[in-house]
Amino acid sequence: MGKKGGATRVKRQMAPTFWNIRRKESQFVMRVKPGPHPKNSAYPLGMVLRDAVKVTHTAKESQLILNEGKVKVDGIVRRDPNLAVGLMDVVELANGQAYRLVPKDSELLAPVAVEDAEKAVKLAKITSKVTTKGKKLQYGFHDGKTLITDAKMKVGDTCLLELPGAKVKDHIKFEKGATALIITGENAGNVGKIEDFREGLFSLPTRAFVSFGDKTVELPVEMVMVVGKDKPVIKVN
């Protein structure tokens, strides 16, 4: 009889390059289950505990902590070690320490410690917008969350959400002069100012010009996330 279900592990050599793991330690490593983030841009939760923030030493220890309900992701207790944890997600431990996963030093994701005041908020980029019954607007965010509201926002804008729900505390427009975080590519983790836009043509996407330090880079808008007006509204690097 044929095998049912998908693979439960992945070869270490084939794992995403930003995973902070030892490539030659063993043949296999845990995989990311389908969820709120694409598998190539997310960590499994168990690996975040063991390899990213290093609060456990083995996958078994990570599973024990999760089984005891001692770990929250975006304010919700999670027990699945293969849960996809990605951009801007907040992982909170039982001792109160919390980490936000953000791009850093050209790496797609890295944990940064956050203060108590920022545990209950996160930035979410709007990736879709549709009209529902009653002419309400439904927005979809990069982390799988959705929101139905009368507020007028655009795809590409960013919302500061209150966790564990999706209540909007602030709305940041994707426009000239806004402060932006580069979320992928060789400049990932840099924060700069949006200087201008260039409309896309046929196969070319719309691009944004982002200045940081002493240089300006031209990037597809999908690689950029606005994080504030004059400065980031929360810690992002």
Side-chain angles (χ1 to χ4, degrees):
M1 186 172 69
K3 183 176 68 172
K4 295 182 179 180
T8 59
R9 56 187 183 176
V10 63
K11 288 188 175 181
R12 284 178 178 261
Q13 298 296 329
M14 301 300 292
T17 57
F18 68 89
W19 283 11
N20 184 23
I21 58 175
R22 296 176 181 174
R23 299 284 164 171
K24 297 183 179 180
E25 188 173 85
S26 62
Q27 186 175 5
F28 296 102
V29 69
M30 66 183 71
R31 73 178 182 94
V32 176
K33 281 186 178 179
H37 299 278
K39 66 179 181 179
N40 290 327
S41 59
Y43 264 112
L45 179 54
M47 189 178 293
V48 172
L49 300 177
R50 185 189 65 187
D51 301 295
V53 302
K54 303 185 187 302
V55 295
T56 64
H57 297 92
T58 64
K60 185 176 181 180
E61 287 182 12
S62 295
Q63 182 67 76
L64 289 173
I65 291 176
L66 292 171
N67 287 344
E68 293 172 357
K70 293 183 176 181
V71 179
K72 294 180 180 180
V73 178
D74 287 353
I76 300 174
V77 173
R78 299 294 190 180
R79 292 182 168 86
D80 186 355
N82 298 104
L83 175 75
V85 183
L87 179 66
M88 294 296 168
D89 285 353
V90 179
V91 179
E92 184 179 354
L93 309 177
N95 62 4
Q97 180 63 63
Y99 299 88
R100 190 185 312 279
L101 291 182
V102 295
K104 183 179 179 181
D105 298 332
S106 299
E107 293 292 336
L108 193 63
L109 289 177
V112 295
V114 297
E115 299 177 354
D116 292 345
E118 295 188 357
K119 290 180 187 177
V121 293
K122 72 176 295 186
L123 290 169
K125 183 176 181 178
I126 298 175
T127 56
S128 66
K129 175 182 177 181
V130 296
T131 302
T132 63
K133 289 183 179 180
K135 296 184 178 180
K136 294 275 189 178
L137 295 172
Q138 178 174 302
Y139 298 95
F141 298 103
H142 80 273
D143 62 352
K145 290 182 174 62
T146 59
L147 175 68
I148 297 177
T149 179
D150 293 322
K152 304 295 183 181
M153 300 183 286
K154 295 182 179 180
V155 172
D157 291 354
T158 298
C159 292
L160 180 67
L161 302 181
E162 185 176 336
L163 302 175
K167 181 180 178 181
V168 177
K169 296 189 66 176
D170 195 7
H171 168 222
I172 308 165
K173 294 182 179 181
F174 193 57
E175 61 185 4
K176 293 181 184 179
T179 299
L181 171 69
I182 300 174
I183 57 178
T184 186
E186 65 180 19
N187 294 300
N190 285 300
V191 175
K193 180 181 178 181
I194 297 178
E195 300 290 352
D196 202 357
F197 294 101
R198 179 174 293 174
E199 294 297 326
L201 296 171
F202 300 103
S203 61
L204 287 176
T206 301
R207 283 95 71 205
F209 292 86
V210 182
S211 63
F212 57 91
D214 57 353
K215 67 178 181 178
T216 299
V217 294
E218 180 182 354
L219 301 168
V221 293
E222 289 77 14
M223 297 175 65
V224 179
M225 180 179 187
V226 288
V227 294
K229 297 179 176 66
D230 300 318
K231 63 179 182 179
V233 294
I234 60 174
K235 184 177 180 180
V236 295
N237 59 6

